[in-house]
Amino acid sequence: IAFPNGPFTRPHPAVWRIIFGLSVLYFLGLQFLMFQNYKTIMGIFYWLDPGLKNFHINMDKEYGVNCSDITIERIWSHVDVFALAHFLGWMFKAILIRHMGILWAISIMWEITEIAFAHLLPNFVECWWDALILDVVVCNGVGIWCGLKLCKMLEMREYRWISIKHISSTTGKIKQIKLRAQIS
């Protein structure tokens, strides 16, 4: 199977072909797992990593307790694996979406979603400073900034997410409609 060239040219098209190939293998693996039962899937995971047999999520940590106590030690204790996940997730979302306004809107809406579903997951219960400062400004904001800087460094195409009603000329609107028809 020959994988097509993608839109990315930096650092080298071969790198993007490898990434595309790995994503196809990942997709095929997920497709395979969809048709297995729970016992078989867990057997595969235990075979890949035997340490998963004794794995459990530590639910001893309290979230959203004593929010008026704001110290550097307390803030630093909240920088955990979720903070790294926020950062990396928003960095890769920035690489995919490539628009600062849309990224910030999604980031803030996700924090509102966490507040709405805090009754379902204990780690969604956060202090105001954790949700606003650590999540939105620090982890998400720095992740968005790093992702957009990486796009600029790799000379990736910039997306202009505009509505058709913001295009002033009729010719421009017709071109946009033709482009959308070709994509779908």
Side-chain angles (χ1 to χ4, degrees), residues 122-140:
N123 61 327
F124 277 6
V125 179
E126 299 173 327
C127 292
W128 66 268
W129 49 266
D130 188 7
L132 187 64
I133 296 169
L134 280 181
D135 287 352
V136 174
V137 176
V138 176
C139 296
N140 299 1

Side-chain angles (χ1 to χ4, degrees), residues 6 15 17 29 32 37 55 63 78 92 99 112 114 116 136-137 143-144 153-155 174 179 181 184:
V15 173
R17 281 189 186 178
F32 171 77
N37 61 21
F55 177 77
Y63 294 94
H78 279 73
F92 288 115
H99 189 276
I112 293 170
E114 280 188 358
V136 174
V137 176
I144 290 169
M153 209 171 68
L154 295 175
E155 299 177 12
I174 292 171
L179 281 173
S184 53

Side-chain angles (χ1 to χ4, degrees), residues 104-122:
W104 276 106
I106 295 171
S107 172
I108 292 168
M109 288 305 295
W110 175 250
E111 291 305 319
I112 293 170
T113 304
E114 280 188 358
I115 293 168
F117 291 104
H119 63 284
L120 295 176
L121 287 171

Side-chain angles (χ1 to χ4, degrees), residues 47-59:
W47 180 75
L48 290 172
D49 185 7
L52 288 176
K53 288 182 181 177
N54 301 324
F55 177 77
H56 72 283
I57 296 174
N58 183 8
M59 298 304 287

Side-chain angles (χ1 to χ4, degrees), residues 51-166:
L52 288 176
K53 288 182 181 177
N54 301 324
F55 177 77
H56 72 283
I57 296 174
N58 183 8
M59 298 304 287
D60 297 335
K61 185 175 181 181
E62 292 182 343
Y63 294 94
V65 186
N66 197 10
C67 292
S68 60
D69 179 27
I70 304 172
T71 62
I72 298 296
E73 294 83 24
R74 183 134 191 259
I75 292 172
W76 185 251
S77 72
H78 279 73
V79 178
D80 54 4
V81 70
F82 294 111
L84 179 65
H86 268 89
F87 171 76
L88 291 175
W90 283 100
M91 190 173 91
F92 288 115
K93 286 176 190 118
I95 292 170
L96 289 174
I97 296 172
R98 301 182 206 159
H99 189 276
M100 178 90 62
I102 293 174
L103 289 164
W104 276 106
I106 295 171
S107 172
I108 292 168
M109 288 305 295
W110 175 250
E111 291 305 319
I112 293 170
T113 304
E114 280 188 358
I115 293 168
F117 291 104
H119 63 284
L120 295 176
L121 287 171
N123 61 327
F124 277 6
V125 179
E126 299 173 327
C127 292
W128 66 268
W129 49 266
D130 188 7
L132 187 64
I133 296 169
L134 280 181
D135 287 352
V136 174
V137 176
V138 176
C139 296
N140 299 1
V142 173
I144 290 169
W145 184 81
C146 287
L148 292 176
K149 285 296 177 190
L150 186 63
C151 288
K152 199 168 275 192
M153 209 171 68
L154 295 175
E155 299 177 12
M156 297 169 87
R157 181 183 313 153
E158 183 178 333
Y159 293 150
R160 300 194 189 283
W161 300 92
I162 58 171
S163 172
I164 197 164
K165 60 186 167 187
H166 291 104

